[in-house]
């Protein structure tokens, strides 16, 4: 009797459960249900504006007037626009130089903070200050530092007898580019340093002890242990760094408004100027849409290039 009961099929109530009920109870779909609210929010606030911007780029819409579909006319106009190509050059230069320097300085700071130093917790907190200060406040501070009349740098150099007059930092195109890049580096280094420091905390000290016993030099320890184990963290932090730097707007707009003579205009600031201030929404949307291929290439290089298995394992490409 007991054996017969054990071999009987599942109750009819369980067998008759609807496909929807079984789907809700499936463990394989649990991740999907947890991600669904976030996906809806991202779709509403990110995907929809992106698609709307792409559509506007194919129209002649202006502020207060619905546009008509004009195809690739906005892009053809930008192709012959010298200011647009100057903004592309500025954006690529700004992103490349700032990202490389931020990574180098951030990695160095992270290695220092990973050592046993006095007041380690306090120092780590102080390092974060440039990152947590609002961007506009940082931009105003740097605008004062590099001001043509009240620059603290010019004042110091004049009192030291190095120069006779003030330096027009934000009035010279090359100096202005250098100033905004320096300001971005100052703001971005703490993020990279703290993130890499978190990655360094996960490296087992026994690996360093074994390498030291085997007679490895500091460079060998760094290149064969630290760097390969940090590669996944580096890939993530550099992807975010490139993304944030390429789309930077607040710092540039608060410091220079894209001047002098468009020398510091990035694609984001030029898009705002053309689309909002000038009222040509279609042209501004076209500039913003043109940023997408550059972002995909930059993210692809920083992500997939740093995720090579050979580097992660400490080997070399074959």
């Amino acid at each position: 009797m007991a054996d017969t009961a054990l071999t009987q099929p599942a109750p009819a109530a369980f067998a008759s459960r609807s496909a929807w009920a079984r789907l809700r109870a499936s463990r394989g779909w649990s991740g999907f249900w947890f991600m669904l609210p976030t996906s809806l929010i991202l779709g509403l606030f990110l995907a929809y504006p992106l698609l709307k911007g792409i559509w506007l780029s194919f129209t002649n819409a202006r502020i207060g007037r619905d546009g008509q579909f004009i195809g690739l006319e906005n892009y053809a106009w930008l192709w012959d626009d010298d200011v647009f190509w100057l903004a592309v050059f500025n954006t690529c230069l700004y992103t490349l130089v700032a990202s490389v320097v931020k990574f180098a300085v951030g990695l160095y700071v992270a290695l220092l903070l990973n050592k046993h130093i006095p007041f380690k917790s306090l120092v780590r907190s102080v390092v974060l200050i440039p990152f947590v200060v609002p961007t506009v406040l940082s931009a105003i501070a740097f605008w004062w530092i590099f001001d043509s009349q009240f620059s603290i740098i010019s004042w110091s150099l004049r009192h030291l007898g190095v120069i006779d007059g003030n330096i027009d930092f934000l009035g010279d195109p090359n100096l202005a580019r250098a100033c905004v890049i320096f300001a971005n580096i100052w703001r971005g280094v703490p993020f990279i340093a703290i993130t890499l420091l978190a990655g360094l905390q996960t490296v087992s000290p026994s690996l360093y002890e074994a390498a030291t016993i085997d007679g490895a030099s500091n460079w060998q320890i760094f290149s064969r242990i630290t760097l390969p184990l940090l590669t996944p963290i580096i890939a993530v932090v550099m992807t975010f760094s490139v993304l944030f730097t390429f789309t930077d707007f607040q710092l540039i707009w608060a410091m220079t408004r894209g001047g002098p003579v468009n020398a510091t205009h990035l694609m984001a600031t030029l898009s705002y100027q053309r689309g909002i201030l000038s009222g040509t929404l279609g042209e501004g949307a076209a500039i913003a849409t043109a940023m997408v291929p550059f972002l995909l290439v930059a993210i692809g290089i920083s992500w997939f290039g740093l995720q090579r298995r050979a580097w992660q394992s400490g080997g070399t490409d074959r």
Side-chain angles (χ1 to χ4, degrees):
M1 182 73 67
D3 294 340
T4 303
L6 291 174
T7 58
Q8 287 181 350
F14 178 79
S16 62
R17 292 174 62 184
S18 65
W20 174 247
R22 292 197 300 271
L23 188 62
R24 287 189 302 170
S26 172
R27 296 184 61 183
W29 282 79
S30 298
F32 170 78
W33 299 122
F34 279 111
M35 289 297 298
L36 183 60
T38 304
S39 301
L40 293 176
I41 293 174
L42 291 176
L44 178 63
F45 292 102
L46 293 180
Y48 173 74
L50 175 62
L51 296 177
K52 182 68 173 180
I54 294 175
W55 164 251
L56 286 175
S57 69
F58 295 109
T59 69
N60 60 355
R62 298 182 63 89
I63 292 180
R65 188 194 72 184
D66 293 334
Q68 297 179 347
F69 182 80
I70 58 173
L72 299 176
E73 186 174 324
N74 286 323
Y75 295 97
W77 173 265
L78 292 177
W79 186 264
D80 297 326
D81 187 358
D82 294 335
V83 176
F84 169 74
W85 288 112
L86 178 60
V88 172
F89 168 77
N90 291 336
T91 305
C92 294
L93 177 68
Y94 182 78
T95 304
L96 178 63
V97 176
S99 297
V100 171
V101 176
K102 281 190 291 187
F103 170 70
V105 178
L107 179 59
Y108 180 73
V109 172
L111 293 173
L112 289 180
L113 295 178
N114 195 43
K115 298 181 179 296
H116 297 288
I117 59 176
F119 307 105
K120 182 188 297 185
S121 300
L122 178 61
V123 173
R124 291 177 180 177
S125 302
V126 172
V127 168
L128 271 176
I129 291 178
F131 184 70
V132 299
V133 172
T135 305
V136 175
L137 292 181
S138 300
I140 293 175
F142 278 108
W143 174 80
W144 173 73
I145 291 173
F146 297 125
D147 185 72
S148 59
Q149 296 183 0
F150 307 105
S151 170
I152 186 65
I153 299 177
S154 297
W155 181 87
S156 301
L157 294 178
R158 280 193 293 105
H159 280 71
L160 291 175
V162 178
I163 59 176
D164 296 327
N166 291 345
I167 302 174
D168 192 7
F169 289 100
L170 300 181
D172 180 84
N174 292 325
L175 288 179
R177 290 191 183 103
C179 290
V180 295
I181 290 175
F182 178 82
N184 182 273
I185 292 171
W186 182 84
R187 279 192 52 81
V189 164
F191 168 73
I192 295 178
I194 296 300
T195 307
L196 294 181
L197 177 61
L200 289 172
Q201 299 292 306
T202 64
V203 180
S204 175
S206 61
L207 296 176
Y208 295 122
E209 295 173 1
T212 303
I213 294 174
D214 290 339
S217 63
N218 290 333
W219 171 250
Q220 290 174 327
I221 293 175
F222 172 76
S223 61
R224 298 300 180 88
I225 297 177
T226 304
L227 195 58
L229 293 178
L230 275 183
T231 301
I233 306 297
I234 293 174
V236 174
V237 74
M238 288 306 297
T239 300
F240 279 103
S241 176
V242 170
L243 181 63
F244 294 153
T245 307
F246 195 92
T247 58
D248 195 8
F249 171 82
Q250 298 181 66
L251 190 66
I252 301 296
W253 194 256
M255 286 185 64
T256 64
R257 297 291 197 276
V261 292
N262 302 313
T264 59
H265 251 318
L266 304 185
M267 296 178 72
T269 57
L270 184 63
S271 174
Y272 174 78
Q273 185 187 67
R274 298 280 180 87
I276 304 301
L277 299 184
S278 299
T280 54
L281 293 178
E283 185 179 348
I287 297 174
T289 304
M291 296 172 63
V292 176
F294 291 96
L295 284 173
L296 293 177
V297 171
I299 293 174
I301 293 175
S302 62
W303 177 259
F304 295 104
L306 292 172
Q307 282 290 348
R308 293 177 300 175
R309 294 181 180 272
W311 189 8
Q312 290 187 23
S313 60
T316 55
D317 291 338
R318 294 176 182 269

